[in-house]
Protein backbone atom coordinates (compact mmCIF):
# COMPACT_ATOMS: atom_id res chain seq x y z
CA UNK A 1 0.00 0.00 0.00
CA UNK A 2 1.24 3.46 -0.81
CA UNK A 3 1.42 6.25 1.73
CA UNK A 4 -1.31 8.01 -0.29
CA UNK A 5 -3.86 5.22 0.42
CA UNK A 6 -6.50 6.11 3.02
CA UNK A 7 -9.22 4.20 4.83
CA UNK A 8 -12.71 5.30 5.97
CA UNK A 9 -12.45 7.78 8.84
CA UNK A 10 -8.80 8.71 8.21
CA UNK A 11 -7.93 12.38 8.80
CA UNK A 12 -7.21 14.17 5.51
CA UNK A 13 -7.05 17.87 6.47
CA UNK A 14 -8.56 20.45 8.79
CA UNK A 15 -11.65 22.31 7.60
CA UNK A 16 -9.74 25.60 7.87
CA UNK A 17 -7.28 24.40 5.19
CA UNK A 18 -9.44 22.41 2.75
CA UNK A 19 -13.08 21.62 1.93
CA UNK A 20 -14.55 18.13 1.71
CA UNK A 21 -14.80 16.83 -1.86
CA UNK A 22 -15.93 13.57 -3.45
CA UNK A 23 -15.90 10.52 -1.11
CA UNK A 24 -15.00 12.67 1.92
CA UNK A 25 -16.98 14.27 4.73
CA UNK A 26 -16.64 17.15 7.18
CA UNK A 27 -16.92 16.03 10.82
CA UNK A 28 -17.01 19.59 12.17
CA UNK A 29 -13.25 19.92 12.71
CA UNK A 30 -11.59 17.71 10.11
CA UNK A 31 -12.11 16.46 6.58
CA UNK A 32 -12.17 12.65 6.73
CA UNK A 33 -12.23 9.83 4.19
CA UNK A 34 -15.59 8.17 3.50
CA UNK A 35 -14.07 5.24 1.62
CA UNK A 36 -10.84 3.40 0.80
CA UNK A 37 -8.85 5.00 -1.99
CA UNK A 38 -6.12 7.43 -3.00
CA UNK A 39 -6.04 10.90 -1.45
CA UNK A 40 -6.11 13.74 -3.98
CA UNK A 41 -5.46 17.29 -2.74
CA UNK A 42 -6.20 20.13 -5.17
CA UNK A 43 -4.28 23.12 -3.82
CA UNK A 44 -5.81 25.59 -6.31
CA UNK A 45 -9.45 24.88 -5.37
CA UNK A 46 -8.58 23.88 -1.75
CA UNK A 47 -10.59 20.63 -2.02
CA UNK A 48 -9.61 17.14 -0.77
CA UNK A 49 -11.19 14.10 -2.39
CA UNK A 50 -10.73 10.34 -2.53
CA UNK A 51 -10.32 8.51 -5.82
CA UNK A 52 -11.73 5.02 -5.58
CA UNK A 53 -11.11 2.35 -8.24
CA UNK A 54 -14.85 1.62 -8.41
CA UNK A 55 -17.53 4.29 -8.46
CA UNK A 56 -19.15 4.46 -5.05
CA UNK A 57 -22.76 5.35 -4.57
CA UNK A 58 -22.64 8.24 -2.13
CA UNK A 59 -25.21 10.89 -3.11
CA UNK A 60 -24.17 14.52 -3.43
CA UNK A 61 -26.07 17.51 -2.06
CA UNK A 62 -29.12 18.18 -4.26
CA UNK A 63 -29.36 14.61 -5.62
CA UNK A 64 -32.78 12.94 -5.74
CA UNK A 65 -32.73 9.51 -4.10
CA UNK A 66 -35.27 6.69 -3.99
CA UNK A 67 -35.08 4.19 -1.19
CA UNK A 68 -36.81 1.90 1.25
CA UNK A 69 -37.72 3.15 4.71
CA UNK A 70 -35.59 1.13 7.14
CA UNK A 71 -36.66 2.72 10.43
CA UNK A 72 -39.25 5.20 11.68
CA UNK A 73 -38.54 7.28 14.77
CA UNK A 74 -40.58 10.05 16.40
CA UNK A 75 -38.96 12.92 14.47
CA UNK A 76 -37.08 11.23 11.60
CA UNK A 77 -36.97 8.32 9.21
CA UNK A 78 -33.94 6.28 8.09
CA UNK A 79 -33.91 5.32 4.41
CA UNK A 80 -31.76 2.70 2.64
CA UNK A 81 -30.87 4.29 -0.72
CA UNK A 82 -31.66 2.16 -3.80
CA UNK A 83 -31.46 4.78 -6.60
CA UNK A 84 -29.53 8.04 -7.00
CA UNK A 85 -30.89 10.33 -9.72
CA UNK A 86 -32.71 7.36 -11.26
CA UNK A 87 -29.64 5.08 -11.42
CA UNK A 88 -29.60 1.88 -9.33
CA UNK A 89 -26.94 1.54 -6.64
CA UNK A 90 -25.72 -1.49 -4.73
CA UNK A 91 -23.95 0.13 -1.77
CA UNK A 92 -27.12 0.40 0.38
CA UNK A 93 -25.95 3.63 2.00
CA UNK A 94 -28.52 5.06 4.42
CA UNK A 95 -29.68 8.61 4.94
CA UNK A 96 -31.86 10.22 7.60
CA UNK A 97 -34.76 12.57 6.95
CA UNK A 98 -36.20 14.88 9.60
CA UNK A 99 -40.00 14.75 9.85
CA UNK A 100 -40.31 17.13 12.79
CA UNK A 101 -41.95 20.04 10.90
CA UNK A 102 -44.48 17.97 8.88
CA UNK A 103 -47.92 17.89 10.44
CA UNK A 104 -48.94 14.31 9.75
CA UNK A 105 -49.22 11.41 12.15
CA UNK A 106 -47.48 8.95 9.82
CA UNK A 107 -45.05 10.40 7.28
CA UNK A 108 -43.95 6.92 6.21
CA UNK A 109 -43.84 3.37 7.52
CA UNK A 110 -41.11 0.72 7.34
CA UNK A 111 -40.79 -0.79 3.83
CA UNK A 112 -42.46 2.19 2.10
CA UNK A 113 -40.66 3.34 -1.07
CA UNK A 114 -39.84 7.07 -0.78
CA UNK A 115 -38.13 9.76 -2.80
CA UNK A 116 -36.00 12.37 -1.02
CA UNK A 117 -33.59 15.21 -1.85
CA UNK A 118 -30.15 15.17 -0.23
CA UNK A 119 -29.77 18.26 1.94
CA UNK A 120 -26.27 17.91 3.43
CA UNK A 121 -23.56 15.63 4.80
CA UNK A 122 -22.93 16.34 8.47
CA UNK A 123 -20.82 14.37 10.95
CA UNK A 124 -20.59 11.40 8.60
CA UNK A 125 -24.39 11.21 8.21
CA UNK A 126 -26.31 11.93 5.01
CA UNK A 127 -29.31 14.18 5.68
CA UNK A 128 -32.30 14.45 3.33
CA UNK A 129 -35.55 16.38 3.05
CA UNK A 130 -39.07 15.32 2.12
CA UNK A 131 -40.65 18.81 2.17
CA UNK A 132 -41.20 19.36 -1.59
CA UNK A 133 -44.43 18.20 -3.35
CA UNK A 134 -42.68 15.69 -5.65
CA UNK A 135 -40.91 14.16 -2.65
CA UNK A 136 -42.58 11.59 -0.42
CA UNK A 137 -44.09 8.11 -0.62
CA UNK A 138 -43.97 6.51 -4.08
CA UNK A 139 -45.33 3.09 -3.12
CA UNK A 140 -46.91 1.62 -0.01
CA UNK A 141 -49.40 -1.00 1.12
CA UNK A 142 -52.15 -1.02 3.72
CA UNK A 143 -50.68 -1.23 7.22
CA UNK A 144 -53.65 -3.26 8.47
CA UNK A 145 -54.15 -5.99 5.82
CA UNK A 146 -51.26 -5.47 3.35
CA UNK A 147 -53.68 -4.75 0.50
CA UNK A 148 -53.43 -2.28 -2.38
CA UNK A 149 -54.05 1.39 -1.57
CA UNK A 150 -55.31 4.37 -3.57
CA UNK A 151 -54.63 8.07 -2.83
CA UNK A 152 -57.32 10.27 -1.25
CA UNK A 153 -56.14 13.90 -0.96
CA UNK A 154 -53.48 13.73 1.79
CA UNK A 155 -54.19 10.11 2.77
CA UNK A 156 -54.42 6.61 1.36
CA UNK A 157 -57.34 4.19 1.42
CA UNK A 158 -57.12 0.41 1.22
CA UNK A 159 -59.15 -1.11 -1.60
CA UNK A 160 -59.69 -4.33 0.40
CA UNK A 161 -60.42 -3.33 4.01
CA UNK A 162 -61.18 0.42 3.50
CA UNK A 163 -58.60 1.44 6.12
CA UNK A 164 -57.62 5.13 5.76
CA UNK A 165 -54.14 6.23 6.78
CA UNK A 166 -52.23 9.52 6.57
CA UNK A 167 -48.92 9.61 4.66
CA UNK A 168 -46.73 12.23 2.96
CA UNK A 169 -47.47 11.24 -0.65
CA UNK A 170 -45.33 12.24 -3.62
CA UNK A 171 -46.99 13.77 -6.68
CA UNK A 172 -45.66 10.62 -8.43
CA UNK A 173 -47.41 8.24 -5.98
CA UNK A 174 -48.21 4.81 -7.50
CA UNK A 175 -46.58 5.83 -10.79
CA UNK A 176 -45.09 2.61 -12.18
CA UNK A 177 -42.15 4.42 -13.82
CA UNK A 178 -40.97 6.18 -10.65
CA UNK A 179 -37.41 5.02 -11.37
CA UNK A 180 -37.23 7.41 -14.36
CA UNK A 181 -37.19 10.67 -12.40
Amino acid sequence: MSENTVFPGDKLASIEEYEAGYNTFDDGDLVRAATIGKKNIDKSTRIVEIQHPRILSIPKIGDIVIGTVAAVMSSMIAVSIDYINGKPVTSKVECVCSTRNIRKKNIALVNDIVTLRIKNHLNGTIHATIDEPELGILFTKCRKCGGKVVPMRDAIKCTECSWIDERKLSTKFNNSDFINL
Side-chain angles (χ1 to χ4, degrees):
M1 295 236 184
S2 77
E3 63 183 56
N4 212 18
T5 301
V6 293
F7 293 93
D10 283 358
K11 174 189 169 187
L12 304 174
S14 76
I15 60 172
E16 289 86 16
E17 299 172 318
Y18 293 96
E19 290 184 36
Y22 192 64
N23 288 331
T24 65
F25 65 93
D26 172 354
D27 74 355
D29 294 324
L30 301 169
V31 176
R32 294 187 179 271
T35 183
I36 296 173
K38 303 266 185 220
K39 177 171 60 170
N40 183 18
I41 298 176
D42 188 341
K43 293 184 180 179
S44 63
T45 60
R46 315 290 294 164
I47 293 177
V48 179
E49 54 187 26
I50 303 299
Q51 294 175 337
H52 191 274
R54 284 186 272 147
I55 302 281
L56 285 185
S57 305
I58 298 174
K60 297 180 182 78
I61 295 171
D63 283 351
I64 299 289
V65 298
I66 296 174
T68 307
V69 176
V72 178
M73 290 144 282
S74 61
S75 63
M76 70 175 57
I77 58 175
V79 176
S80 175
I81 299 172
D82 298 319
Y83 297 89
I84 299 174
N85 295 325
K87 295 179 183 159
V89 296
T90 57
S91 63
K92 297 297 182 192
V93 172
E94 286 194 355
C95 67
V96 294
C97 177
S98 174
T99 59
R100 183 172 296 153
N101 56 352
I102 300 174
R103 302 211 183 277
K104 288 191 184 299
K105 185 176 181 185
N106 298 311
I107 304 302
L109 295 178
V110 174
N111 291 330
D112 284 355
I113 307 296
V114 297
T115 182
L116 307 168
R117 181 179 306 279
I118 301 302
K119 196 165 60 171
N120 61 36
H121 296 246
L122 187 62
N123 297 331
T125 304
I126 302 169
H127 295 265
T129 183
I130 196 169
D131 291 340
E132 301 167 30
E134 67 275 2
L135 304 178
I137 305 296
L138 293 173
F139 179 78
T140 188
K141 291 189 174 190
C142 176
R143 80 153 77 193
K144 194 170 182 186
C145 73
K148 185 179 179 197
V149 295
V150 293
M152 284 181 35
R153 293 188 202 132
D154 292 340
I156 54 170
K157 182 176 182 178
C158 181
T159 57
E160 295 174 25
C161 71
S162 299
W163 179 262
I164 296 175
D165 207 359
E166 258 190 341
R167 303 279 173 84
K168 167 52 172 104
L169 301 179
S170 166
T171 55
K172 298 178 188 283
F173 178 75
N174 265 352
N175 187 350
S176 62
D177 64 342
F178 66 84
I179 296 169
N180 301 321
L181 284 175

